[in-house]
């Protein structure tokens, strides 16, 4: 069987790659920075960690310095403006995902950068980009764009050539020196076009340290579809491509089979092992995977791939109850420095609550799950780093808890689009995060924030750690909260002051001094109910107050997932 599998894979080498309808994506980070920026070195260190785990076939980063310090140009200022950079550092991944600020945690762990890149590099791209030639002496550069998709098109989309210089100083590298914009129109699998242009070279630059990068970006939504650079690529390079959301929904019995995901070899011929690791699943559940010959495996499977060939797998989940399974695949080889990791999650129908884990890799969801477990309620945990929420969530869950923590970015365009439909359908949302208001309104007042959270952002960082509930309020009556110390996360660095935006909203918690910290709302048209905390729920300093606030909020936003009686402390009815 092993020989037969290898023979088939080798035969695939004669099949044009565009038959796959996609090509592995190279992700690019554009770092808006300045030499005077106090926290920018944390971003540099975080991106260095990403580079240590992802080679240049998968990840590129460049730094656009502001002219307010050294190394900046009018072109880099303009690019930062285009990327929506209003504070430094701001790292923009693939044109869409913006991370503002960088603390010591980013410098030490690479998060949230690592998680973002781990996800984006698994997304298939409709195109391949190759830099055919680059002359650092005169700046001449040539790149070819090839269409792999049978359905996608490029229509006057942007091709951005970026000239960088490495090791300008011990701290400043990947420094953007020049930017050249071109456009591309392309359609039809197998079609290609070559663009020739040139950079302006300053004689003072070290030509041995100059590199070229190129990205292709949608004009409509700024999505960077693909990138490439002149940095050396590894001899051995294997990629995963998952052309569907890696968070799956299905029944609580029978067998659920996912669509195919692809493992593609872009390097020298090699042999690999793919291993299935089930991180968490309810008792009695089974998980397996199936190779492209129909063989079923529960642990590992070995296979070989020649250069520019691929093979497919899919996941089977066999649940025995309501619940969720979290699993991942690791593809390894003796020639690879790190595995290709492909995570998945599976949810059954019939769960009470969806908890969206959007806290940037922290474990703040534990503060919610402890309460839900004690209440005997079923829930799923959606890792927002894996995928934007899908229509399956809206169809299967009437109540969402959205845990932001202190994470950037969050409630982005994809999230807002999902929540718009979800709340327009009259569903319920409990959302908490200490900088939601600041982030959504940093570039000016957010109409979506006002229309759907029914809140007005007043200011960032109240620096007040005590809040009082409103007497008689169904959610906060008798609450007296402390959001630092105790058993809380002690992470409330920037709690927002907010206010009710309209007659649909009611202010329900006040910081000491009378400044509003939370609102609840019932939309007068959709009847959607929202409880929005301008601080992090995880910061509350004791279990009892956290439990009272969450259960009362969920009882108010409905539907009746919590049994009558818990208001009085009678827990006998919960089960």
């Amino acid at each position: 069987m092993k020989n037969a599998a290898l023979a088939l894979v080798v035969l695939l080498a004669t099949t044009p790659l565009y038959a796959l309808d996609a090509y592995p994506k190279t992700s690019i980070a554009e770092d808006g920075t300045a030499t005077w920026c106090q926290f920018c070195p944390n971003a540099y260190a975080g991106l260095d960690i990403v580079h240590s785990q992802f080679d240049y076939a998968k990840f590129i980063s460049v730094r656009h310095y502001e002219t307010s310090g050294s190394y900046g140009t009018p072109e880099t200022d303009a690019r930062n403006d285009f990327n929506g950079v209003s504070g430094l550092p701001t790292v923009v991944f693939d044109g869409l995902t913006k991370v503002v600020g960088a603390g010591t945690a980013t410098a030490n762990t690479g998060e949230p950068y690592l998680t973002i890149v781990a996800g984006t590099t698994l997304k298939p791209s409709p195109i391949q980009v190759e830099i055919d030639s680059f002359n650092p002496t005169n700046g001449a550069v040539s790149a070819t764009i090839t269409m792999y998709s049978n359905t996608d098109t490029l229509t006057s989309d942007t091709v951005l050539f970026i000239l960088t210089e490495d090791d300008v100083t011990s701290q400043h590298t990947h420094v953007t020196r020049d930017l050249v914009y071109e456009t591309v129109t392309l359609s039809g699998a197998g079609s290609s076009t070559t663009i020739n242009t040139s950079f302006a070279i300053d004689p003072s630059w070290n030509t041995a340290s100059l590199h070229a990068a190129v990205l292709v970006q949608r004009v409509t939504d700024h999505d960077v579809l693909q990138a490439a650079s002149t940095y050396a690529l590894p001899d051995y390079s294997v990629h995963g491509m998952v052309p569907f959301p890696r968070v799956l929904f299905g029944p609580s019995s029978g067998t659920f089979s996912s669509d195919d995901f692809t493992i593609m070899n872009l390097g020298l011929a090699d042999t690999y092992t793919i291993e299935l690791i089930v991180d968490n699943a309810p008792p009695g559940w089974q998980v397996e995977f199936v190779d492209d010959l129909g063989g079923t495996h529960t642990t590992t499977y070995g296979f070989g791939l020649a250069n520019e060939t691929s093979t497919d797998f899919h996941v089977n989940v066999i649940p025995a109850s309501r619940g969720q399974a979290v699993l991942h695949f690791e593809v390894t080889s003796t020639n690879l420095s790190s595995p290709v990791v492909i995570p998945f999650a599976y949810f059954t129908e019939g769960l009470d609550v969806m908890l969206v884990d959007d806290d940037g890799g922290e474990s703040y969801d534990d503060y919610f799950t402890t309460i839900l477990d004690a209440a005997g309620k079923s829930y799923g945990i959606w890792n927002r780093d894996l995928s934007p929420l899908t229509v399956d969530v809206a169809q299967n869950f009437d109540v969402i808890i959205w845990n932001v923590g202190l994470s950037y970015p969050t409630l982005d365009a994809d999230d807002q689009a999902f929540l718009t439909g979800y709340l327009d359908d009259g569903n319920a949302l409990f959302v908490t995060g200490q900088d939601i208001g600041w982030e959504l309104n940093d570039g000016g007042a957010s109409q979506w924030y006002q229309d759907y959270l029914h809140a007005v952002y007043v200011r960032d960082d109240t620096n007040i750690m005590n809040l009082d509930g409103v007497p008689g309020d169904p959610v906060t009556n008798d609450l007296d909260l402390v959001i630092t110390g105790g058993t809380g996360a002690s992470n409330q660095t920037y709690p927002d002051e907010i206010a009710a935006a309209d007659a649909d909203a009611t202010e329900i918690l006040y910081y000491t001094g009378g400044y509003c910290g939370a609102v609840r709302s019932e939309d007068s048209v959709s009847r959607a109910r929202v409880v929005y905390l301008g601080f992090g729920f995880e910061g509350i300093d004791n279990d009892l107050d956290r439990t009272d606030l969450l259960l009362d909020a969920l009882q108010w936003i409905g539907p009746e997932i919590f049994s009558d009686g818990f208001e009085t402390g009678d827990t006998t009815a919960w089960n």
Side-chain angles (χ1 to χ4, degrees):
M1 180 63 74
K2 187 178 292 184
N3 290 336
L6 183 58
L8 179 61
V9 170
V10 172
L11 181 61
L12 290 176
T14 63
T15 303
L17 285 178
Y18 59 77
L20 289 174
D21 199 50
Y23 195 84
K25 183 169 183 174
T26 300
S27 182
I28 185 167
E30 298 178 77
D31 180 7
T33 186
T35 51
W36 50 261
C37 170
Q38 177 184 357
F39 297 103
C40 288
N42 291 332
Y44 306 157
L47 290 170
D48 284 344
I49 293 174
V50 180
H51 277 294
S52 72
Q53 297 191 27
F54 293 91
D55 60 52
Y56 285 111
K58 297 177 181 176
F59 177 67
I60 305 162
S61 70
V62 299
R63 298 184 193 172
H64 303 318
Y65 285 79
E66 289 283 324
T67 54
S68 53
S70 303
Y71 312 125
T73 67
E75 291 77 15
T76 54
D77 281 354
R79 183 64 182 177
N80 283 337
D81 289 343
F82 175 84
N83 283 333
V85 175
S86 59
L88 302 178
T90 295
V91 183
V92 181
F93 294 86
D94 296 318
L96 297 179
T97 304
K98 183 168 63 174
V99 181
V100 182
T104 55
T106 296
N108 294 332
T109 68
E111 293 293 354
Y113 305 158
L114 270 175
T115 300
I116 293 169
V117 174
T120 57
T121 55
L122 294 174
K123 295 179 180 179
S125 172
I127 58 174
Q128 178 193 20
V129 177
E130 294 179 288
I131 296 181
D132 305 311
S133 63
F134 168 58
N135 187 327
T137 302
N138 62 18
V141 62
S142 175
T144 296
I145 303 166
T146 302
M147 177 63 70
Y148 275 72
S149 172
N150 290 296
T151 56
D152 220 323
T153 61
L154 301 175
T155 305
S156 298
D157 287 311
T158 300
V159 181
L160 175 57
F161 290 85
I162 306 170
L163 177 68
T164 63
E165 183 178 4
D166 285 352
D167 303 322
V168 177
T169 70
S170 60
Q171 185 177 63
H172 301 294
T173 191
H174 303 320
V175 176
T176 299
R177 291 302 199 181
D178 195 17
L179 297 165
V180 178
Y181 290 85
E182 304 286 350
T183 61
V184 61
T185 296
L186 194 65
S187 63
S191 61
S192 64
T193 186
T194 299
I195 299 175
N196 299 296
T197 189
S198 61
F199 299 112
I201 303 296
D202 188 311
S204 67
W205 298 338
N206 182 0
T207 57
S209 298
L210 295 180
H211 286 275
V214 61
L215 61 85
V216 177
Q217 185 169 34
R218 294 281 194 201
V219 171
T220 52
D221 62 3
H222 299 176
D223 184 13
V224 174
L225 301 177
Q226 188 63 281
S229 75
T230 56
Y231 288 98
L233 302 180
D235 291 333
Y236 295 91
S237 183
V238 66
H239 299 246
M241 292 197 301
V242 186
F244 55 89
R246 288 177 286 117
V247 182
L248 311 169
F249 279 86
S252 57
S253 62
T255 299
F256 172 87
S257 297
S258 76
D259 293 332
D260 287 345
F261 63 93
T262 299
I263 305 298
M264 177 183 283
N265 178 25
L266 297 184
L268 300 176
D270 203 358
T271 57
Y272 308 95
T273 298
I274 183 170
E275 180 180 9
L276 166 63
I277 299 171
V278 180
D279 303 291
N280 186 32
W285 283 40
Q286 301 176 54
V287 183
E288 60 191 23
F289 66 101
V290 181
D291 62 50
D292 60 355
L293 294 180
T296 301
H297 315 277
T298 58
T299 53
T300 62
Y301 173 64
F303 61 99
L305 290 176
N307 172 250
E308 295 197 336
T309 62
S310 66
T311 190
D312 292 337
F313 299 93
H314 70 265
V315 184
N316 287 341
V317 181
I318 308 168
S321 62
R322 293 188 306 167
Q324 76 171 89
V326 178
L327 59 117
H328 70 275
F329 290 92
E330 293 187 4
V331 180
T332 57
S333 160
T334 57
N335 295 307
L336 297 176
S337 59
S338 59
V340 175
V341 179
I342 307 174
F344 290 96
Y346 177 82
F347 298 96
T348 69
E349 80 286 348
L351 302 178
D352 294 323
V353 179
M354 175 61 80
L355 171 58
V356 180
D357 181 0
D358 195 14
D359 59 15
E362 301 290 346
S363 57
Y364 303 143
D365 50 297
D366 292 346
Y367 289 100
F368 300 91
T369 59
T370 299
I371 298 168
L372 295 173
D373 287 336
K377 295 304 171 182
S378 61
Y379 56 87
I381 301 176
W382 185 287
N383 185 344
R384 180 58 184 83
D385 295 328
L386 287 184
S387 170
L389 277 73
T390 66
V391 67
D392 293 303
V393 179
Q395 293 173 347
N396 285 280
F397 293 89
D398 298 320
V399 178
I400 288 177
I401 299 170
W402 202 300
N403 163 38
V404 171
L406 178 58
S407 178
Y408 315 106
T410 189
L411 298 188
D412 62 15
D414 287 335
D415 299 332
Q416 291 178 37
F418 168 82
L419 286 172
T420 296
Y422 184 76
L423 295 174
D424 282 347
D425 287 340
N427 293 301
L429 173 68
F430 178 96
V431 58
T432 170
Q434 60 183 291
D435 248 347
I436 293 173
W438 169 80
E439 183 182 4
L440 294 187
N441 294 276
D442 186 44
S446 165
Q447 193 63 48
W448 184 89
Y449 180 81
Q450 296 182 32
D451 290 345
Y452 286 91
L453 300 189
H454 293 277
V456 174
Y457 170 68
V458 178
R459 61 168 166 147
D460 186 30
D461 187 14
T462 64
N463 201 31
I464 302 171
M465 298 294 117
N466 296 81
L467 297 100
D468 294 320
V470 174
D473 186 83
V475 176
T476 65
N477 182 49
D478 292 332
L479 280 179
D480 181 9
L481 302 182
V482 178
I483 56 173
T484 187
T487 59
S490 293
N491 67 334
Q492 299 303 292
T493 307
Y494 306 108
D496 286 341
E497 180 188 353
I498 59 178
D502 50 45
D504 292 346
T506 301
E507 298 178 355
I508 60 173
L509 281 169
Y510 290 95
Y511 298 103
T512 300
Y515 312 108
C516 178
V519 299
R520 61 175 172 85
S521 60
E522 181 176 4
D523 190 90
S524 55
V525 177
S526 70
R527 314 316 300 182
R529 288 188 170 190
V530 176
V531 171
Y532 162 41
L533 309 184
F535 57 92
F537 175 85
E538 72 281 357
I540 299 172
D541 73 337
N542 69 88
D543 297 336
L544 181 61
D545 283 344
R546 287 193 295 267
T547 300
D548 286 346
L549 176 56
L550 182 63
L551 295 187
D552 284 348
L554 293 177
Q555 178 76 356
W556 181 76
I557 62 179
E560 295 292 337
I561 64 168
F562 288 87
S563 189
D564 288 340
F566 79 79
E567 303 97 327
T568 64
D570 175 12
T571 63
T572 60
W574 285 1
N575 291 316

